[in-house]
Amino acid sequence: MNNQKRNLKVSAPGKIILSGEHAVVHGYPALLTAVNLRLSIKNEVIHSDIPVGGGMGSSAAYAVAKSAYKQAEKGEVWDLEKINKEAYEIEKRQHGNPSGGDNTVSTYGGFLWYRKESENLKVFTKLKTPKSMPRFLIINTGKPNESTGEMIAFVKTRLQAKKREIESTFRNIEQVTKSLLEYLVEGKNYDLKELIKENEELLEDLGVVSKKAKEIIKLVEGAGGGAKVSGAGGIKDGSGVILAYHANMDKLIKVSRAKKLNTFSVKLGQEGVRLERV
Ligand code: MEV
């Protein structure tokens, strides 16, 4: 291995989905943001701060970092579009029919409005950094038993069995996603807690929230906050991470400590894939 290769290191961020998970697989929009937990590859050893299988995009960050590493290793021009395309192919092998949102936000970073119109047309816009950055507490409800691919397949089966009902849920999710966009980008006066709660109810209607996660969400609501699953969710055990919001964050932290919940905070709107200096 020459020196240049020995010193090659790339990193890609994890993500959270603010709104639109699952619906985004079926052509509805999603709002995603890159976070300050990263996965890096150096000399083919992998290091990651992103919880695995928790809804924070660890597999997408791996796919993005891997394709970026390959590109850099070959000495090719740094090409985000190419990195993203290749990462999407890796994600497809892993999850069957993903939307491509996770790898796109891990590639480009920031806040993204994302929509998969068809397999070959995926549109996204990088949003301006919100004037007032929402502050969430991330609560890990536990690793789901089901993989992301299984959760995507589960929702597809429900869509096939109850087309009108599930399509109506998707449309309602789209409304929440649009309201959240207006809240973040245009500073419209929505109640963030209510949007989060509405989003959660719709995800529960889809059936992607486990009993364990629902109980934790009820605790947050009992303390005056709102919380939603972020990512694919889970059914039998945990549902991965939830985004918890409270106008008075101290109250949320207090209840989380009292109930010994596994919590952490993240910075939103972070940089996408990058070459690291080593
Ligand atoms: C997973 O992080 C998000 C899902 O919407 C799947 C996808 O977008 O590919 C559940």
Side-chain angles (χ1 to χ4, degrees):
M1 195 184 281
N2 64 30
N3 259 352
Q4 209 181 343
K5 278 192 184 161
R6 189 170 299 123
N7 290 334
L8 181 59
K9 182 176 173 186
V10 299
S11 78
K15 64 89 189 39
I16 56 177
I17 300 184
L18 298 172
S19 184
E21 48 274 272
H22 285 295
V24 69
V25 173
H26 302 275
Y28 297 83
L31 253 176
L32 309 98
T33 180
V35 298
N36 61 330
L37 304 179
R38 301 184 77 87
L39 176 145
S40 57
I41 301 182
K42 182 175 183 281
N43 303 334
E44 290 151 25
V45 244
I46 296 159
H47 173 82
S48 180
D49 306 323
I50 310 165
V52 175
M56 293 197 70
S58 60
S59 79
Y62 172 70
V64 169
K66 191 177 169 191
S67 56
Y69 188 92
K70 260 174 60 187
Q71 194 177 94
E73 196 179 29
K74 284 190 217 154
E76 291 175 4
V77 177
W78 190 249
D79 180 343
L80 290 182
E81 197 179 332
K82 199 170 162 203
I83 292 171
N84 193 32
K85 258 192 175 162
E86 205 174 303
Y88 176 63
E89 294 306 318
I90 299 173
E91 282 280 271
K92 278 204 294 192
R93 288 200 286 278
Q94 179 82 3
H95 306 306
N97 180 34
S99 66
D102 290 6
N103 51 275
T104 304
V105 77
S106 183
T107 302
Y108 292 92
F111 284 82
L112 285 197
W113 175 263
Y114 179 90
R115 193 193 280 260
K116 180 184 186 179
E117 301 292 346
S118 71
E119 181 58 25
N120 293 307
L121 180 63
K122 304 178 201 76
V123 289
F124 66 91
T125 300
K126 203 163 167 178
L127 305 174
K128 280 188 295 190
T129 306
K131 284 194 189 94
S132 64
M133 192 70 90
R135 215 180 131 209
F136 295 106
L137 186 68
I138 310 288
I139 304 177
N140 197 343
T141 70
K143 195 166 182 265
N145 260 338
E146 305 80 6
S147 67
T148 298
E150 283 165 346
M151 292 305 293
I152 292 174
F154 167 78
V155 173
K156 187 177 173 193
T157 308
R158 290 216 60 205
L159 176 64
Q160 282 161 346
K162 297 200 162 182
K163 197 166 163 46
R164 274 176 57 177
E165 191 187 302
I166 301 295
E167 275 180 351
S168 154
T169 305
F170 286 160
R171 281 195 297 276
N172 289 333
I173 290 175
E174 178 172 22
Q175 280 314 312
V176 175
T177 309
K178 284 185 174 164
S179 302
L180 202 54
L181 174 75
E182 291 172 347
Y183 171 86
L184 290 176
V185 174
E186 280 144 42
K188 275 209 178 170
N189 193 17
Y190 284 104
D191 184 335
L192 182 56
K193 181 179 87 177
E194 289 308 317
L195 290 179
I196 298 288
K197 284 172 77 171
E198 204 180 323
N199 202 158
E200 170 58 22
E201 273 171 35
L202 294 163
L203 289 168
E204 290 185 16
D205 290 346
L206 285 184
V208 298
V209 188
S210 70
K211 187 168 169 279
K212 190 173 166 189
K214 281 182 193 165
E215 281 167 7
I216 294 174
I217 288 164
K218 283 277 161 295
L219 279 176
V220 173
E221 290 179 358
K228 70 168 280 273
V229 157
S230 179
I235 302 167
K236 292 198 189 105
D237 192 2
S239 293
V241 296
I242 55 175
L243 297 185
Y245 174 80
H246 200 301
N248 181 348
M249 203 40 99
D250 288 346
K251 284 197 176 163
L252 205 52
I253 292 170
K254 208 170 151 194
V255 78
S256 307
R257 282 201 186 128
K259 298 290 176 188
K260 296 192 168 49
L261 301 179
N262 176 2
T263 64
F264 55 102
S265 36
V266 287
K267 287 186 189 155
L268 311 183
Q270 301 294 298
E271 197 183 345
V273 64
R274 67 179 178 227
L275 267 175
E276 301 285 354
R277 302 207 178 279
V278 281

